[in-house]
Amino acid sequence: MKAGIVGLPNVGKSTLFNCLSNAKAQSANFPFCTIEPNIGVVNVPDPRLSKLEELVNPEKVIPATVEIVDIAGLVKGASKGEGLGNQFLANIRETDAILHVLRCFNNDNIVHVDGSVDPIRDKETIDIELQLKDLDTVEKKLDKVKRAAKTGNKEAQKEEAVLLKIKEGIEAGKSVRALEFSEDEYRDYVKPAQLITEKPVMYVCNVDEDAAVSGNDYVEQVKEAVKDENAEVLVLAVGTEADINELDDYEERQMFLTDIGLSEPGSAKLIRSAYKLLNQQTYFTAGVKEVRAWTINIGSTAPQAAGVIHTDFEKGFIRAEVIGYNDYVELGSEAKVKEAGKMRVEGKGYTVKDGDVMHFLFNV
């Protein structure tokens, strides 16, 4: 599962990527600095993992991770191949969620591709190009489906109705994620179409240091503009985060954060938010050899969670021994949890909860 960082050229995408991944993607004050997408595998900050490490004292600790992709900046006309449009759109289609970076700060020393700072205009530029690409995709699908629908094919007629609904929505300036579908329509026709504007999105407002905590007028404009999109808006002083990242000493980093009114780096909150945006959650295994966070889709069953460790665990699943995270921390050890009767035995139908500590019994 991958989240793609997108936006106009020169809004801070590569600087943000560097903050998230500690990679050193080229970052400079001119458009199209990023051409090939940079990919970083980022640890998901999770204080629960640290607490389990403290209690178990294992030989090693392995956190959950999420893939972040830094994609080339997009310009007007990208849907027709302008700039790096074709490459950009191909790269974004391969991601599962979008982190849309919007410039929400004034700085005469940093060039804006359109000559002035206006996050709403910037958002609309990206939206229009992605919507135009989706419109092209839908129209091509409609040409094929209409022929089958005319012959009386019931399935084709259902698909045609959904595609027409999408077409009308896009032509009205709406992204697919803002349209309403039944569960069956979404599963059978919307999801398989792999439309770009159907992907979940989080808007990252890149502000200066003074606005790192409370935001600014630009941020308020963005919140108002996206209120009907069911999208999260996150405020991040990307340049400041980059400065913090340059500090090697942990205490110095914390002092810097405290000085600007933050309890943790904004990048940590962004990573956790991206994880949720990808519909992912964590369960843990905890033993003296290893304490580990495992990533599963929200709603996964116990056998599916076991399959993340090894496919044989899912195939031969017998049962799962489950401890709630809060019970584990409150009682202090697996042995004490068992003594208190708080370890549960769950079968194939159990839906794993975020933070569950689990052992699997299987037979292949």
Side-chain angles (χ1 to χ4, degrees), residues 27-95:
S27 176
N29 185 19
F30 56 89
F32 301 135
C33 182
T34 303
I35 298 176
E36 293 298 329
N38 297 294
I39 299 177
V41 179
V42 183
N43 290 341
V44 178
D46 192 333
R48 297 174 302 180
L49 193 64
S50 302
K51 186 63 181 177
L52 289 172
E53 178 185 9
E54 180 186 316
L55 293 173
V56 178
N57 193 26
E59 293 176 14
K60 61 180 177 179
V61 177
I62 302 176
T65 60
V66 61
E67 279 194 19
I68 305 289
V69 187
D70 177 25
I71 298 170
L74 176 148
V75 293
K76 289 175 185 173
S79 58
K80 304 298 181 187
E82 293 293 325
L84 296 169
N86 290 333
Q87 188 168 346
F88 174 97
L89 293 164
N91 291 334
I92 194 173
R93 197 181 293 281
E94 293 172 6
T95 65

Side-chain angles (χ1 to χ4, degrees), residues 29 36 40 57 110 121 162 236 245 257 263 267 270 284 326:
N29 185 19
E36 293 298 329
N57 193 26
I110 299 178
R121 177 200 60 209
V162 173
L236 198 65
N245 249 20
L257 288 167
S263 59
S267 54
L270 175 56
F284 302 101
N326 289 336

Side-chain angles (χ1 to χ4, degrees), residues 19 53 155 201 360:
C19 289
E53 178 185 9
E155 195 66 24
V201 65
F360 299 103

Side-chain angles (χ1 to χ4, degrees), residues 134-142 163 166-167 170 195:
D134 278 352
L135 185 60
D136 182 55
T137 300
V138 168
E139 286 177 338
K140 286 175 180 174
K141 284 182 176 293
L142 265 171
L163 291 173
I166 293 171
K167 182 175 184 290
I170 293 174
L195 299 170

